[in-house]
Amino acid sequence: MIPELGQFSLVLAAVLSLLLGILPLWGTYRYNTTLQALARPLALLQFILVALSFACLAYAFLNNDFSVKYVAAHSNSLLPKPYQFAAVWGGHEGSLLLWMLMLTGWAAAVALFSQSLPLVMVARVLGVLGLVTVGFMLFILFTSNPFDRLFPVPADGRDLNPLLQDPGLVIHPPMLYMGYVGMSVAFAFAIAALLSGRLDAAWARWSRPWTVIAWAFLTFGIGLGSWWAYYELGWGGWWFWDPVENASLMPWLVGTALIHSLMVTEKRGSFKAWTVLLAIAAFSLSLLGTFLVRSGVLTSVHAFATDPTRGVFILIFLAIVVGASLTLFAWRAPQVTLGGSMGLISRESFMLLNSVLLVVATGAVLLGTLYPLIIDALNLGKLSVGPPYFNLVFAPLMVPLLFILVPGTIARWREANIAEMLMELRWVAAASVVLAIGLPFLWDSWSIGSALGIFLGMWVALGSLHNMVERLRKPGRIGGSFWGQHLAHFGLAVVVLGITGVKSYEVERDVRMSLGDTVSIAPYSFRLVDMVDVNGPNYKATQAHVEVFKNDKLIDVLYPEKRRYFSSAMPMTEAAIRSSFLGDLYVSLGDPIAGDKPSWSMRFYHKPFVPWLWAGVLLMVSGGVIAALDRRYRRRNLDAQLKTVGEAMSNAA
Amino acid sequence: MKKFLIPLVLFFGLVAFLAVGLKRDPREIPSPLVGKPAPAFSLPTLQGDKPFSPADFKGQVWLFNVWATWCVACREEHPLLVEFSKTQSVPIVGLSYKEIQAADQANGPLSDEAKLGLARERSLRFLQRQGDPYKLSVMDLDGRVGIDYGVYGVPETYLIDREGVIRYKQVGPVTPEILENKLLPLIRSLEKS
Amino acid sequence: MKRLLLLLSLCAVTAWAGEAQPMAEDPKVEARLVVMAEELRCLVCQNESLASSHAELAEDLRREVRKLIRDGLTDAQIKTYLVERYGDFVLYRPPVKPLTWPLWFGPFALLILAVWGLARYLRHRKALVHQRMSETDNAQVESLLKE
């Protein structure tokens, strides 16, 4: 009954999204305000219906309703309740429903928080979102229905993939989807602006907070994914350039370019066409990501099990949405006005360079991800493109980006003075160079890579601090936008330092341990003191007790496990991690080794600065949120705001 | 202002590639050994008499089929191979690939003779029950010959010509369509030469 | 005296018994293996490297690579050995050959093109804006230029 209610709710929501996609837009074409006014209630109602549908699916999971095929495939009566809930998005169909929840959720949010926007704009934005929603609805209802029944009803489900039975699953996909899907709002604003024929600073002002929030969620989602891989997979890796990972990185890179470009459009009315194109690109990359993950064209550990029919459907949908947007762009963009003038060296040109570098980086990632497919499609063979390629190509692109970040934040609008900038940054530059050359010696190993990494990290960090200190010296309120951006830049610097630190200084020991054995990674040492059997709710595990010493003083006991879930043949490693400000101690339990004394293969890692990766991501996310919540976006009287197009003081955000 | 059309054009190019990509299997790896001489080896046979090497079959066209009793997908093609062996003159040589698995040594490692003995026993029993399409079968217990042949999954089948050159590799079970459309025509043309 | 020395050395050995032995028989070989295996693909996995995969074929191939390292082959020779059997697919670092020139040089070429295009655009734009200065739009923009 409940599953049928869920399905019915979804069908109703699909009808509403069709109405939302057609009526308000028709209303804008016909200057009919009644039709336009339908946008908000339709958006809210479609969200409620999708939420209801989602609740029905969750109900089916929490009540072990294995007559629903999707529940039987991804759940089990022994699965702990929180994972039974998270299993809703553990597979293709349910994760699509989560997409729908997010998409209609964002539309509802726009409906609620757009009181200061003109109705005709709201109608267009929500209309576009409605059209996108219809496509997904049709996809779910016709090819990926989570409410399909299964007869005969199995006694129990197949259980959730053990890799997913982890707090990471509860939070990573929802956050990631919030970001992915959030890009649809910037997209909708861009399309709405193109449709209206008016691309001006106002559109950029309205778009910006929505884009920044979506970006913040995406940053958080990607960071969570990395963190999850790090502690779950047992070998301490956190980025593999897997196609699905790349699929989330690309919208993020373009989203970052978009945020910076929006800033220029808002301030000086320039780059309008470019900003619109970036907005279209960001969401297109989200859709492309959906295609790559669910169509089976690329192999990935993250890929959902799918069939080619679904792939065809998504591809057609992608072709229509992006094709129509780019056609509209080609038609309307030439009519866009130019905006203010800018010098060869100016804040605007720095922002453009930022865009260029990020877009080239996105292009590189896209090229690497799709190259095997392109070569195969041309019948030229089978290739693999993996981490060695991406690391070699991506890192050099990030170097100039990080470098120009600092001058970019102090350059004057319109015309910047290089001599002045050099003067202002001399201490930041000097300190960064000194630290870059000197710090590696503290760890007894100097390499050009680590020096460069430290230089860039310190450059951005000190540059951000410099900006904050200088601004504090001046009078006047400082808005969230200012703090947000410099906090986010600072967070980026922390991430860079973290990556440099862990790549330069991590140590691994792969050893066989018997009870009483020790292994050391100076100044730490580890002793295996016990090995016990542990029973979990749906698994059995071997658990090691490892004492951790620093300079021969006991500081901790770690409990790495090897779990065997009832439902899966593959044993799972649960690594034990001790985190501190300067780094992680990471212990992973392997297989027992045959021999006279019982012994096990174990891996011990010292990963310095890894927590900086996660801390940096959190700082970036916070920066984004603070910037988006800047009060000036929420002020009712936007007209006065709109008139401030023009010369800005170099520090005004 | 044609430059504004560039994104659209590039996009449709992308869609075209993706569309073609949908028809491809990203996990299927073509063999670089096609057109090259079959790698040499000398392995003990199932029957136990003298060892076999590909040079022994120079002068004739033959099939080399990688199989194992634990391989579930092999069961799909087995009846077809048995049928083939009865009606066709082209001999099939089996490569018993890694017949001894981890489970067999759960209670302690086996000696090489013990492994060979167990593998032979199990394989013979299997062939007695399911039919024996093989002229002979060689025992590749540690998979080294498999690696030389670029074996990455079971079953796989190679078609080798009179000069001992690999002419075709089939990854996955041989289906009636593949037999009809690819293998048989190729066999016929190779036998003529 | 000899007996005493022997006894003492035996005690010393037992005292060291607490220090864990590396899993690998030869850490140097293992180190080379790990570095190489991270750039090789596990052929039966869903996009995993040879270094981290638990699949049986991955174990076999690691054993093979270890043997080849001990036999004295260079990294390049070992990679060639694997490519002869499995094709370029097994390499995570695609070889640089005409087929992959767009891949390896594309991003760099794109960067140069983009930066050059950017510089040209900025110069062109300056001229364009000066051109449009006389239009009425500009008067509106001027009036909006307040803080």
Side-chain angles (χ1 to χ4, degrees):
Chain A
M1 237 294 280
I2 301 283
E4 273 67 38
L5 177 63
Q7 171 146 357
F8 183 60
S9 202
L10 206 54
V11 173
L12 275 182
V15 172
L16 284 183
S17 56
L18 186 64
L19 292 175
L20 178 60
I22 297 180
L23 296 178
L25 284 171
W26 185 251
T28 62
Y29 181 59
R30 286 293 193 196
Y31 306 101
N32 183 331
T33 47
T34 325
L35 284 180
Q36 292 171 23
L38 282 179
R40 285 202 178 96
L42 280 175
L44 290 168
L45 202 54
Q46 81 170 355
F47 171 66
I48 292 173
L49 285 169
V50 173
L52 181 60
S53 184
F54 190 85
C56 291
L57 190 58
Y59 182 87
F61 268 93
L62 290 168
N63 285 285
N64 293 319
D65 184 354
F66 299 121
S67 69
V68 178
K69 190 156 69 156
Y70 181 69
V71 178
H74 297 280
S75 186
N76 187 282
S77 48
L78 294 173
L79 189 63
K81 282 269 179 265
Y83 296 140
Q84 281 183 349
F85 179 70
V88 168
W89 53 84
H92 166 73
E93 295 88 340
S95 72
L96 271 182
L97 191 55
L98 183 67
W99 244 91
M100 286 290 87
L101 186 68
M102 302 284 167
L103 189 54
T104 52
W106 277 101
V110 171
L112 286 174
F113 297 110
S114 56
Q115 303 308 327
S116 48
L117 264 68
L119 181 61
V120 68
M121 183 99 201
V122 175
R124 286 205 177 94
V125 172
L126 290 178
V128 171
L129 285 174
L131 286 174
V132 173
T133 311
V134 172
F136 274 101
M137 289 287 190
L138 292 175
F139 182 53
I140 291 187
L141 288 170
F142 285 111
T143 75
S144 317
N145 193 338
F147 297 106
D148 279 344
R149 292 283 199 174
L150 181 65
F151 289 116
V153 180
D156 211 332
R158 268 205 279 140
D159 204 6
L160 185 62
N161 183 341
L163 266 176
L164 301 175
Q165 290 186 33
D166 184 275
L169 174 67
V170 181
I171 185 163
H172 160 64
M175 292 298 106
L176 193 65
Y177 285 15
M178 279 293 276
Y180 253 171
V181 179
M183 290 299 168
S184 66
V185 177
F187 171 78
F189 268 101
I191 299 296
L194 282 174
L195 284 173
S196 72
R198 268 185 61 215
L199 269 177
D200 52 15
W203 155 73
R205 166 66 58 103
W206 291 319
S207 249
R208 205 165 145 201
W210 294 100
T211 313
V212 174
I213 291 264
W215 176 89
F217 272 113
L218 193 54
T219 312
F220 193 41
I222 295 175
L224 278 170
S226 263
W227 180 57
W228 188 16
Y230 171 73
Y231 74 75
E232 182 61 25
L233 293 179
W235 46 279
W238 41 269
W239 189 262
F240 193 64
W241 296 108
D242 179 84
V244 173
E245 291 175 0
N246 297 348
S248 67
L249 184 65
M250 290 188 285
W252 185 86
L253 291 167
V254 174
T256 308
L258 178 60
I259 293 175
H260 292 84
S261 205
L262 274 171
M263 177 169 85
V264 179
T265 307
E266 184 189 337
K267 192 120 247 131
R268 310 260 4 261
S270 337
F271 306 167
K272 285 175 257 191
W274 178 245
T275 307
V276 164
L277 190 59
L278 285 176
I280 296 177
F283 186 55
S284 306
L285 287 167
S286 288
L287 289 178
L288 180 66
T290 310
F291 171 77
L292 291 177
V293 178
R294 295 165 197 273
S295 63
V297 288
L298 295 171
T299 355
S300 159
V301 282
H302 298 84
F304 291 101
T306 53
D307 60 77
T309 355
R310 287 177 177 162
V312 173
F313 197 112
I314 308 181
L315 188 60
I316 295 178
F317 179 52
L318 178 68
I320 294 177
V321 171
V322 181
S325 315
L326 289 176
T327 311
L328 183 61
F329 173 78
W331 176 37
R332 287 296 174 116
Q335 296 144 27
V336 162
T337 57
L338 207 53
S341 70
M342 63 186 72
L344 193 59
I345 306 285
S346 58
R347 189 176 295 199
E348 290 94 320
S349 66
F350 273 103
M351 292 294 113
L352 262 184
L353 194 54
N354 157 295
S355 267
V356 161
L357 287 167
L358 283 167
V359 168
V360 172
T362 308
V365 174
L366 187 63
L367 184 64
T369 308
L370 290 180
Y371 208 71
L373 185 145
I374 294 175
I375 294 294
D376 192 15
L378 293 172
N379 263 321
L380 294 169
K382 281 271 199 305
L383 272 183
S384 296
V385 179
Y389 170 80
F390 289 106
N391 289 328
L392 268 174
V393 168
F394 190 76
L397 286 170
M398 290 296 107
V399 169
L401 187 70
L402 289 166
F403 185 69
I404 65 160
L405 193 156
V406 178
T409 52
I410 66 165
R412 282 186 193 279
W413 291 98
R414 268 185 160 207
E415 201 72 46
N417 185 324
I418 303 195
E420 193 184 293
M421 288 184 349
L422 282 172
M423 200 53 183
E424 187 177 339
L425 292 173
R426 65 192 190 283
W427 293 120
V428 172
S432 306
V433 172
V434 166
L435 286 167
I437 300 184
L439 280 179
F441 284 115
L442 278 180
W443 275 273
D444 277 333
S445 91
W446 200 94
S447 74
I448 191 91
S450 48
L452 184 61
I454 294 178
F455 169 71
L456 290 169
M458 287 300 174
W459 173 241
V460 174
L462 293 173
S464 307
L465 287 172
H466 165 86
N467 269 300
M468 291 195 242
V469 163
E470 284 304 301
R471 182 64 185 84
L472 280 169
R473 286 207 196 142
K474 300 197 172 78
R477 268 198 91 257
I478 313 173
S481 198
F482 178 84
W483 289 121
Q485 76 176 240
H486 293 292
L487 187 61
H489 290 158
F490 187 78
L492 180 64
V494 173
V495 170
V496 170
L497 290 170
I499 295 177
T500 310
V502 70
K503 283 237 175 289
S504 309
Y505 302 115
E506 62 181 335
V507 179
E508 175 184 336
R509 290 259 185 283
D510 194 0
V511 291
R512 60 185 81 211
M513 300 275 273
S514 312
L515 294 175
D517 281 352
T518 55
V519 64
S520 67
I521 302 177
Y524 302 99
S525 53
F526 307 86
R527 178 161 60 214
L528 178 63
V529 293
D530 205 357
M531 193 70 82
V532 300
D533 285 325
V534 166
N535 283 327
N538 54 346
Y539 62 85
K540 274 188 151 50
T542 327
Q543 188 187 73
H545 294 195
V546 177
E547 284 180 347
V548 184
F549 301 86
K550 184 171 182 180
N551 295 319
D552 297 327
K553 232 174 46 153
L554 180 67
I555 54 170
D556 208 344
V557 184
L558 294 172
Y559 303 95
E561 289 179 9
K562 195 117 181 128
R563 291 184 186 171
R564 269 177 180 74
Y565 284 83
F566 302 141
S567 57
S568 165
M570 199 63 156
M572 292 272 312
T573 326
E574 287 290 317
I577 308 178
R578 179 192 154 80
S579 276
S580 70
F581 178 69
L582 277 183
D584 277 0
L585 294 173
Y586 189 108
V587 183
S588 182
L589 176 61
D591 294 315
I593 305 167
D596 349 289
K597 253 198 317 183
S599 54
W600 296 264
S601 94
M602 295 186 75
R603 285 210 180 123
F604 295 85
Y605 300 84
H606 179 215
K607 293 192 173 273
F609 299 108
V610 158
W612 289 36
L613 278 166
W614 324 129
V617 167
L618 287 176
L619 286 172
M620 287 167 77
V621 174
S622 311
V625 172
I626 293 173
L629 293 178
D630 188 319
R631 275 213 264 146
R632 63 199 178 113
Y633 296 124
R634 292 179 279 149
R635 253 178 252 166
R636 286 283 159 153
N637 184 10
L638 269 183
D639 285 57
Q641 302 296 321
L642 293 178
K643 293 192 165 127
T644 50
V645 174
E647 216 104 55
M649 303 301 285
S650 42
N651 307 20
Chain B
M1 289 290 192
K2 286 288 153 41
K3 64 175 176 175
F4 290 104
L5 277 170
I6 298 179
L8 186 62
V9 171
L10 288 176
F11 175 67
F12 276 133
L14 176 67
V15 172
F17 277 118
L18 294 176
V20 177
L22 273 175
K23 299 201 179 68
R24 301 295 162 106
D25 179 1
R27 309 203 52 191
E28 192 184 301
I29 310 169
S31 177
L33 292 170
V34 172
K36 300 225 170 56
F41 61 83
S42 176
L43 285 178
T45 61
L46 188 57
Q47 283 69 19
D49 34 355
K50 62 183 176 74
F52 171 82
S53 138
D56 297 346
F57 268 26
K58 247 206 177 109
Q60 53 179 312
V61 177
W62 53 289
L63 284 168
F64 195 31
N65 173 257
V66 185
W67 69 286
T69 64
W70 48 260
C71 161
V72 175
C74 302
R75 317 252 164 131
E76 273 174 52
E77 64 168 12
H78 203 81
L80 196 61
L81 291 177
V82 172
E83 178 72 34
F84 180 91
S85 69
K86 292 202 182 102
T87 60
Q88 298 285 337
S89 58
V90 173
I92 309 181
V93 174
L95 178 74
S96 166
Y97 178 72
K98 303 201 76 188
E99 179 59 43
I100 302 298
Q101 296 276 288
D104 296 319
Q105 303 200 69
N107 295 326
L110 297 168
S111 69
D112 286 345
E113 302 90 64
K115 280 190 209 156
L116 190 55
L118 180 58
R120 277 185 171 134
E121 188 194 310
R122 236 186 355 226
S123 309
L124 280 168
R125 227 181 317 142
F126 177 87
L127 292 176
Q128 259 157 30
R129 263 206 299 259
Q130 308 281 347
D132 187 354
Y134 304 116
K135 184 92 191 270
L136 60 105
S137 237
V138 290
M139 314 299 291
D140 183 14
L141 289 173
D142 58 7
R144 288 230 49 243
V145 171
I147 290 181
D148 274 341
Y149 276 78
V151 170
Y152 65 93
V154 203
E156 291 180 5
T157 309
Y158 300 80
L159 178 61
I160 300 173
D161 72 7
R162 297 185 194 278
E163 272 86 46
V165 173
I166 298 177
R167 288 295 178 181
Y168 179 76
K169 176 181 177 182
Q170 169 63 24
V171 175
V174 176
T175 64
E177 296 81 46
I178 291 173
L179 191 59
E180 272 307 312
N181 303 331
K182 292 225 172 69
L183 278 175
L184 284 174
L186 200 50
I187 290 174
R188 268 176 233 131
S189 73
L190 288 174
E191 293 211 293
K192 282 204 199 95
S193 61
Chain C
M1 188 57 185
K2 248 196 195 167
R3 269 216 196 132
L4 187 60
L5 280 172
L6 193 59
L7 203 59
L8 279 173
S9 56
L10 272 173
C11 287
V13 167
T14 8
W16 286 128
E19 182 73 24
Q21 294 302 305
M23 270 301 286
E25 296 196 355
D26 185 343
K28 279 214 186 76
V29 168
E30 205 62 17
R32 256 184 83 191
L33 172 68
V34 169
V35 169
M36 235 193 302
E38 266 165 9
E39 297 208 350
L40 296 170
R41 184 168 189 162
C42 162
L43 298 145
V44 294
C45 311
Q46 306 260 70
N47 201 28
E48 267 185 83
S49 76
L50 201 61
S52 62
S53 166
H54 292 292
E56 211 184 315
L57 181 65
E59 307 257 2
D60 291 346
L61 284 172
R62 281 197 294 265
R63 211 179 311 130
E64 190 69 19
V65 173
R66 238 179 248 124
K67 172 180 170 297
L68 294 172
I69 294 178
R70 273 192 235 113
D71 286 346
L73 272 71
T74 64
D75 283 4
Q77 285 169 325
I78 295 175
K79 287 200 177 141
T80 313
Y81 179 92
L82 288 171
V83 170
E84 270 168 10
R85 286 149 180 76
Y86 292 102
D88 284 335
F89 186 77
V90 75
L91 300 173
Y92 263 139
R93 181 197 292 246
V96 184
K97 50 187 191 185
L99 187 66
T100 58
W101 280 350
L103 179 66
W104 282 106
F105 302 120
F108 186 60
L110 185 61
L111 179 66
I112 295 188
L113 199 72
V115 172
W116 172 78
L118 179 63
R120 224 182 68 139
Y121 168 74
L122 285 172
R123 286 202 191 96
H124 170 78
R125 199 176 194 289
K126 222 175 180 157
L128 210 62
V129 173
H130 280 297
Q131 236 179 42
R132 295 195 188 181
M133 271 304 194
S134 52
E135 289 171 30
T136 47
D137 285 345
N138 191 55
Q140 273 199 326
V141 170
E142 287 293 336
S143 72
L144 289 172
L145 281 177
K146 345 182 186 106
E147 274 289 270

